[in-house]
Amino acid sequence: MCGIVGYVGKENALPRVLDGLNFLEYRGYDSAGVAYFTNGKIKITKEVGRISVLEKKLPKDIYTNMAIGHTRWATHGEASKINSHPHRQGKFTVVHNGIIENYAELKKELKKAKVKFISETDTEVIPALLNYYYQQEPNILKCIQKLKNKVTGSYALGIICDDDQDHLYATRCGSPLIIAKAAKGNFIASDVPAILKYTNKYYLLDEYEIAQISMNKITIYNADLKEITKEELTFAGQAESILLNGYEHYMLKEIHEEDQVFLDTFNYYVTDNKFKKTMPHLKNYRQIHIVACGSAYYVGLIGKFLIERLAQIPVTVEVASEYRYQENFYNKQTLVIIISQSGETADSLAALRKAKEDGIDTLAIVNVIGSSIAREATYTLYIKAGPEIAVATTKAFLAQTTLMALLAIHISNRLDLLKHFNGLEQKIKYLLQQDYRQYAKAIYQEENIFYIGRQMDYALCLEGALKLKETSYINGVAYQAGELKHGTISLIKENTPVIGIATEAKVMAKTISNIKETKARKAQVILITNQDVPDKCYDKLIMIPKVHEIVSPILTVIPLQLIGYEVAKLRGCDIDKPKNLAKSVTVE
Ligand code: AGP
């Protein structure tokens, strides 16, 4: 969601800020804007739509040493020029990611002090407050410090002030922000990809810390305005890892990285069929809650089946946005597992904080290194997926599923099962090489598609259906195969597309019967299975290599992802940046 980039340095700031915003496009946005100084005066340009629209509106001959930029994903007020960032009040111009929860109250208060608001946004109260404080005491750092006790909600802020055109300021609470050091200048950004073209050295800003950044100096203060020293981090991957490398879309590129992502994740935790020290001691927990959103939640469902089957420990899986508002029956032996690719999903972060407040140990399964969820959990296990740019998650899902399977083995101490991971990358490669267009062609003009399966296959149905919904805008709906006859089967008629998944030996016969029930009503069935089945129950067949159930979901998800991709392509959708969606959902 909303992306922030800022630069102050010896080189031209605007192209650097625009480059950064382009790399943050994957976060999702519907308008964009920049602010910069020229001849000592502030200029702000904002446009609805893509960054390319904004670029066209900017003068070509501008050279400026400082600029801030923003991509906005509308929350408070429609996507319009006025509501786009940067927002300005008095001498302060601000870009913001997050939500100011008490903005209405603050607006009311500031209006009494004669402040006029022009937008419908929550953000505008921030420059207004800063300007108000500045009139009382013209000390920018102290003005920013005062936000901590005044503002509730989440924010990452890039701030510039007309009276200090040598410094860019930044602070955060709840929303991510990094400060990066390049050869000829310094950056602020919502995420590492924004700065990789220029540098791979960066600092993570912690809650309420304030950065004061000039051309050649980065000074970071804690919430008491004491100068602090931060650890300099280096992004280990290549900048190229976030480029398309000849693929038409990031989603396709990322799916095709899955064999390597699997190997990297597996090898990070296991060597010679034994766990390395990277796995924490988890054997004393007797009850597990898995909490996550979207696809990560579906990984949690797979994890439930694997952990319960292997370790005989009860596992409940909850959607993070519900978790903090319901009764959660913890005890001292409860472990709360949070799964999140971005590590910044506001609902998941809130659930993690709730569990911590209740004194419960938490384990985070995260992709983005140093993200809030990764930093705040009791234990953190990273998947090794590398940067994921496409809004629809694919390689991170596969890596999370790999790690869930390893976790189930670790908790149950069933080290004998590790052998089933050996050589799996070859099977992943085989599935990646198949042509899924024929299946996509059969369904891409439909508006409703049914996915049916049982147990872990049902979790995969949910994921397949979500891939279709988010990239193709087709209503893919998943059902537990056995539930169909309790109502939904009334919707099945001639040619209704049904994707049946039947890979689980335990429920194979039952699932096949349910699929036959749809075929008997003349549905058009695509069957995904790993066993020979009666040919009367499908129209098209996708065979998955037969492997142990512990690793089977890692393979089964691949055709679902590629069908989602091919359908979106046939429908001409904006595959990497679907409408209304954001990669990292940082609002609750
Ligand atoms: C998946 O394709 C979605 N874009 C979405 O459901 C995502 O999995 C969810 O928002 C959770 O994100 P996270 O893993 O970064 O927490």
Side-chain angles (χ1 to χ4, degrees):
M1 280 184 165
C2 303
I4 290 177
V5 185
Y7 173 84
V8 51
K10 296 192 177 100
E11 292 176 299
N12 197 0
L14 264 185
R16 278 160 185 76
V17 165
L18 290 166
D19 266 349
L21 291 180
N22 274 309
F23 277 114
L24 294 183
E25 272 203 306
Y26 68 92
R27 294 170 69 88
Y29 70 104
D30 34 45
S31 59
V34 288
Y36 54 96
F37 289 113
T38 174
N39 299 326
K41 292 238 154 48
I42 190 92
K43 290 267 182 233
I44 300 177
T45 308
K46 323 194 230 190
E47 284 300 324
V48 175
R50 294 288 176 215
I51 296 162
S52 54
V53 180
L54 172 74
E55 277 177 281
K56 281 189 196 126
K57 287 284 153 79
L58 288 166
K60 294 283 159 290
D61 50 352
I62 289 292
Y63 194 96
T64 173
N65 295 113
M66 174 149 58
I68 51 175
H70 189 266
T71 45
R72 173 175 186 255
W73 189 83
T75 57
H76 294 63
E78 59 168 352
S80 68
K81 263 197 198 187
I82 285 186
N83 289 335
S84 308
H85 301 213
H87 285 284
R88 179 170 170 82
Q89 283 281 352
K91 295 185 171 187
F92 284 85
T93 307
V94 163
V95 285
H96 166 223
N97 172 17
I99 293 217
I100 309 301
E101 285 169 4
N102 59 340
Y103 81 101
E105 192 184 302
L106 293 173
K107 266 193 177 172
K108 219 185 214 173
E109 230 178 90
L110 287 158
K111 276 180 185 165
K112 282 189 198 144
K114 304 265 174 290
V115 175
K116 286 200 173 63
F117 290 96
I118 57 163
S119 77
E120 300 160 89
T121 66
D122 53 332
T123 300
E124 207 184 344
V125 298
I126 298 289
L129 269 179
L130 291 170
N131 199 54
Y132 177 73
Y133 293 143
Y134 193 72
Q135 284 163 352
Q136 293 164 351
E137 187 184 0
N139 179 322
I140 300 174
L141 283 171
K142 281 194 183 168
C143 295
I144 299 173
Q145 183 195 30
K146 285 183 186 158
L147 295 178
K148 179 180 175 222
N149 294 326
K150 190 73 180 170
V151 172
T152 55
S154 61
Y155 53 83
L157 297 170
I159 302 163
I160 52 180
C161 174
D162 294 1
D163 288 349
D164 181 3
Q165 299 192 10
D166 295 326
H167 290 101
L168 171 60
Y169 292 84
T171 189
R172 69 172 282 264
C173 156
S175 302
L177 201 67
I178 61 160
I179 314 295
K181 191 170 91 179
K184 291 184 180 167
N186 299 310
F187 288 87
I188 61 168
S190 299
D191 202 355
V192 177
I195 49 100
L196 280 183
K197 191 170 163 191
Y198 301 99
T199 178
N200 64 353
K201 305 276 181 224
Y202 67 99
Y203 305 98
L204 290 171
L205 207 59
D206 278 305
E207 304 270 284
Y208 305 116
E209 286 175 354
I210 303 172
Q212 184 188 41
I213 306 157
S214 70
M215 253 180 207
N216 31 33
K217 195 167 180 218
I218 295 172
T219 314
I220 300 180
Y221 301 91
N222 67 13
D224 301 322
L225 290 188
K226 291 221 168 61
E227 197 175 324
I228 51 169
T229 311
K230 301 282 292 185
E231 185 194 351
E232 183 186 276
L233 303 171
T234 304
F235 177 77
Q238 299 294 313
E240 290 72 49
S241 64
I242 56 161
L243 300 176
L244 275 169
N245 280 346
Y247 283 94
E248 205 176 335
H249 298 101
Y250 281 108
M251 184 178 175
L252 188 64
K253 172 185 176 248
E254 288 160 4
I255 294 172
H256 280 273
E257 287 168 1
E258 289 182 332
D259 53 328
Q260 193 56 46
V261 162
F262 162 78
L263 266 185
D264 291 347
T265 303
F266 180 68
N267 290 335
Y268 189 73
Y269 292 102
V270 180
T271 184
D272 296 332
N273 286 338
K274 281 195 207 82
F275 283 106
K276 296 183 191 172
K277 288 210 174 90
T278 39
M279 270 294 180
H281 182 83
L282 299 172
K283 301 201 171 70
N284 296 334
Y285 297 103
R286 302 312 311 152
Q287 183 198 47
I288 292 175
H289 294 180
I290 302 180
V291 188
C293 305
S295 295
Y297 168 79
Y298 306 148
V299 173
L301 289 176
I302 294 172
K304 168 188 166 73
F305 289 113
L306 293 177
I307 296 171
E308 286 184 342
R309 282 177 199 178
L310 296 185
Q312 298 292 303
I313 293 175
V315 180
T316 58
V317 192
E318 309 284 351
V319 166
S321 52
E322 295 290 315
Y323 190 71
R324 40 185 310 219
Y325 304 105
Q326 68 190 29
E327 294 303 322
N328 294 310
F329 299 99
Y330 304 125
N331 60 50
K332 282 278 160 241
Q333 289 175 305
T334 306
L335 176 68
V336 172
I337 300 179
I338 308 283
I339 308 173
S340 174
Q341 184 285 129
S342 62
E344 299 293 350
T345 300
D347 290 320
S348 306
L349 183 58
L352 171 95
R353 287 179 177 163
K354 166 85 172 58
K356 278 177 74 182
E357 266 164 41
D358 292 340
I360 302 302
D361 287 348
T362 55
L363 182 151
I365 294 182
V366 176
N367 190 31
V368 178
I369 295 169
S371 52
S372 303
I373 292 174
R375 284 188 285 166
E376 293 188 25
T378 320
Y379 315 102
T380 295
L381 298 180
Y382 285 110
I383 54 165
K384 294 285 157 185
E388 193 178 60
I389 304 295
V391 165
T393 186
T394 53
K395 61 175 180 171
F397 183 97
L398 186 130
Q400 287 162 343
T401 306
T402 304
L403 189 46
M404 275 318 302
L406 292 176
L407 207 58
I409 293 176
H410 178 60
I411 295 171
S412 61
N413 210 15
R414 289 286 311 274
L415 297 192
D416 56 306
L417 294 175
L418 286 173
K419 62 176 182 285
H420 296 292
F421 289 73
N422 295 330
L424 200 72
E425 68 281 4
Q426 292 306 331
K427 297 188 168 72
I428 295 174
K429 254 192 195 146
Y430 161 79
L431 287 168
L432 292 175
Q433 282 156 4
Q434 304 312 301
D435 183 1
Y436 297 93
R437 267 171 298 192
Q438 54 164 312
Y439 310 106
K441 276 186 186 151
I443 58 174
Y444 82 101
Q445 285 169 317
E446 304 288 342
E447 289 310 319
N448 297 293
I449 296 180
F450 292 77
Y451 287 74
I452 61 170
R454 288 170 178 244
Q455 308 272 297
M456 291 194 290
D457 286 339
Y458 168 62
L460 290 160
C461 285
L462 288 163
E463 175 60 6
L466 184 64
K467 289 285 93 66
L468 207 64
K469 278 189 268 237
E470 57 185 349
T471 60
S472 304
Y473 318 133
I474 292 178
N475 187 27
V477 195
Y479 293 100
Q480 284 123 329
E483 263 296 290
L484 216 58
K485 58 186 176 294
H486 296 289
T488 317
I489 202 160
S490 62
L491 298 173
I492 305 285
K493 54 182 196 267
E494 189 165 0
N495 284 329
T496 302
V498 173
I499 299 186
I501 308 182
T503 69
E504 290 228 43
K506 211 174 172 176
V507 286
M508 176 68 70
K510 293 273 189 305
T511 309
I512 294 296
S513 306
N514 300 139
I515 292 171
K516 278 185 174 170
E517 286 156 16
T518 69
K519 195 74 212 120
R521 284 152 185 88
K522 300 199 172 70
Q524 179 202 164
V525 175
I526 299 175
L527 175 65
I528 302 177
T529 186
N530 53 12
Q531 279 191 23
D532 287 335
V533 290
D535 58 5
K536 275 192 200 123
C537 76
Y538 59 83
D539 297 276
K540 291 187 185 298
L541 179 69
I542 299 176
M543 271 310 247
I544 303 290
K546 179 110 186 83
V547 289
H548 190 279
E549 67 167 25
I550 190 93
V551 290
S552 191
I554 300 170
L555 298 184
T556 312
V557 76
I558 296 168
L560 296 169
Q561 294 172 339
L562 280 163
I563 289 174
Y565 172 80
E566 295 294 351
V567 168
K569 205 172 152 193
L570 284 168
R571 285 170 73 101
C573 298
D574 191 353
I575 297 181
D576 289 331
K577 298 184 286 281
K579 65 179 178 202
N580 302 338
L581 296 184
K583 180 69 182 163
S584 168
V585 184
T586 50
V587 294
E588 280 181 53

